[in-house]
């Protein structure tokens, strides 16, 4: 019994305000667990009637079922800390892989894509910040954004990232890619950038759990993936990151 498995097929039908409620639930799952509908609606700054309509629209019969599923989703997450919300057994990995891609695309907001595409029309400098396995994917992103005519910076180690930080200004878009959203170096980087008089647009791509990088960014995109390690090395799929970044670029090209 998993909140995301129940809600996922209904996300495409949500209004903008309902998407905000969905993000609220995802970001505050621990806090709303065990609370009454009045308390949760108050936390979300909506009426109880609005929240119950939302609950039913994402696939639940009522608030009682919604609250029960939230509880079991959290229990499962705590019992399986190395497994993400869409983890499945090996014999269905292909279905899970496809589901992760579908969910990553489904929760994308056209308004956010258009906002970034609008900024891209100003031909800003593009900065990519990523570590570990994601760095290898960003080499591809560096290529396609460069071929689209952008000046791209991809500092690959901490010393170069510190130098790049000094060059970033309001004519920059900074993409931060961190699955758990709690990388200390990147949190410090964003904290310094938002202090600038000429702060850049900061776009993050993180997992769907509430996290610090998400909360510090101007725009955040959720990605879904199953965590996988081989010989102690994380080889979890980064295809969802590529999809998000490709769709941002394609939106820019489409809007030109």
């Amino acid at each position: 019994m998993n909140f995301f498995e129940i809600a996922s097929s209904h996300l495409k039908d949500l209004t903008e305000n309902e998407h905000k409620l969905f993000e609220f639930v995802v970001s505050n799952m621990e806090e709303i667990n065990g609370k009454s509908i009045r308390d949760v609606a108050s936390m979300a700054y909506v009426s109880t009637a609005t929240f119950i309509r939302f609950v039913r629209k994402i696939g639940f019969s009522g608030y009682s079922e919604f609250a029960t599923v939230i509880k079991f989703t959290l229990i499962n997450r705590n019992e399986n800390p190395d497994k993400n919300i869409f983890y499945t057994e090996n014999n269905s990995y292909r279905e899970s892989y496809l589901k992760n891609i579908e969910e990553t695309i489904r929760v994308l907001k056209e308004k956010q894509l258009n906002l970034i595409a609008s900024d891209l029309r100003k031909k800003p400098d593009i900065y990519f910040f990523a570590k570990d396995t994601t760095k290898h994917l960003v080499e591809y992103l560096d290529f396609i954004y460069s071929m689209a005519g952008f000046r791209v910076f991809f500092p690959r180690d901490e010393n170069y990232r510190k130098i790049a930080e000094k060059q970033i200004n309001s004519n920059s878009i900074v993409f931060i890619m961190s699955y758990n959203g709690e990388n200390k170096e990147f949190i410090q980087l964003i904290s310094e950038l938002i202090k600038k008089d000429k702060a850049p647009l900061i776009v993050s791509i993180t997992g769907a759990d509430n996290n610090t990088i998400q909360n510090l960014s101007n725009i955040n995109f959720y990605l879904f993936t199953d965590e996988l390690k081989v010989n102690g090395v994380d080889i979890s799929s980064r295809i969802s990151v590529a999809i998000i970044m490709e769709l941002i670029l394609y939106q820019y090209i489409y809007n030109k």
Side-chain angles (χ1 to χ4, degrees):
M1 188 180 296
N2 185 287
F3 170 79
F4 293 93
E5 290 177 356
I6 294 173
S8 61
S9 63
H10 302 279
L11 298 183
K12 65 181 182 298
D13 300 319
L14 300 184
T15 65
E16 182 175 348
N17 286 336
E18 288 165 343
H19 269 293
K20 290 179 180 178
L21 279 178
F22 177 77
E23 290 186 1
F24 164 79
V25 171
V26 170
S27 300
N28 297 277
M29 203 169 282
E30 294 277 1
E31 289 77 7
I32 68 178
N33 184 31
K35 286 187 167 55
S36 70
I37 186 172
R38 286 189 178 87
D39 290 338
V40 176
S42 178
M43 290 169 62
Y45 299 103
V46 297
S47 68
T48 56
T50 296
F51 198 81
I52 196 63
R53 282 196 299 270
F54 161 74
V55 163
R56 288 172 177 162
K57 195 167 181 178
I58 60 174
F60 298 94
S61 60
Y63 185 77
S64 178
E65 183 187 20
F66 168 83
T68 299
V69 172
I70 290 288
K71 175 182 177 180
F72 280 99
T73 299
L74 291 172
I75 290 173
N76 183 63
R77 180 188 298 173
N78 293 333
E79 289 179 349
N80 301 283
D82 294 328
K83 301 175 183 177
N84 91 321
I85 54 181
F86 282 113
Y87 176 84
T88 59
E89 298 301 328
N90 292 338
N91 61 1
S92 59
Y93 76 91
R94 285 172 293 182
E95 290 81 359
S96 178
Y97 186 87
L98 180 59
K99 181 187 290 186
N100 289 330
I101 293 173
E102 290 175 342
E103 295 315 309
T104 296
I105 295 172
R106 185 172 288 131
V107 301
L108 285 175
K109 295 181 180 178
E110 187 172 356
K111 181 178 180 180
Q112 291 179 327
L113 292 176
N114 280 321
L115 193 155
I116 300 172
S118 177
D119 269 34
L120 288 174
R121 286 199 295 272
K122 302 172 186 175
K123 288 297 179 179
D125 292 336
I126 304 293
Y127 288 84
F128 292 130
F129 291 91
K131 289 186 174 184
D132 305 320
T133 308
T134 310
K135 287 201 302 186
H136 304 292
L137 169 69
V138 176
E139 293 175 0
Y140 161 69
L141 301 178
D142 186 337
F143 172 77
I144 63 171
Y145 275 76
S146 295
M147 291 301 98
F150 294 99
R151 191 163 69 151
V152 180
F153 299 88
F154 174 33
R156 289 164 174 76
D157 63 42
E158 186 172 359
N159 289 330
Y160 282 114
R161 287 192 287 267
K162 288 181 178 178
I163 295 172
E165 177 190 331
K166 299 176 181 178
Q167 301 171 336
I168 295 171
N169 55 43
S170 58
N171 190 39
S172 307
I173 299 181
V174 176
F175 291 96
I176 307 282
M177 302 165 200
S178 171
Y179 178 66
N180 66 13
E182 298 296 342
N183 182 276
K184 292 183 179 179
E185 181 192 338
F186 290 167
I187 291 172
Q188 180 62 34
L189 168 68
I190 299 174
S191 298
E192 293 301 321
L193 291 177
I194 61 180
K195 293 177 185 176
K196 289 190 173 188
D197 292 333
K198 297 181 178 179
L201 178 67
I202 300 173
V203 181
S204 62
I205 301 175
T206 68
D209 291 326
N210 186 32
N211 61 78
T212 305
I213 288 177
Q214 167 200 7
N215 293 326
L216 288 174
S217 305
N218 300 115
I219 296 174
N220 174 257
F221 292 101
Y222 289 143
L223 67 88
F224 298 93
T225 188
D226 292 328
E227 296 182 9
L228 179 62
K229 290 186 178 181
V230 174
N231 297 323
V233 178
D234 177 21
I235 62 166
S236 305
S237 173
R238 264 56 175 186
I239 191 66
S240 293
V241 177
I243 287 170
I244 292 169
M245 293 303 304
E246 286 178 338
L247 288 175
I248 290 171
L249 182 59
Y250 298 161
Q251 189 73 49
Y252 157 74
I253 294 170
Y254 177 80
N255 289 354
K256 285 179 67 175

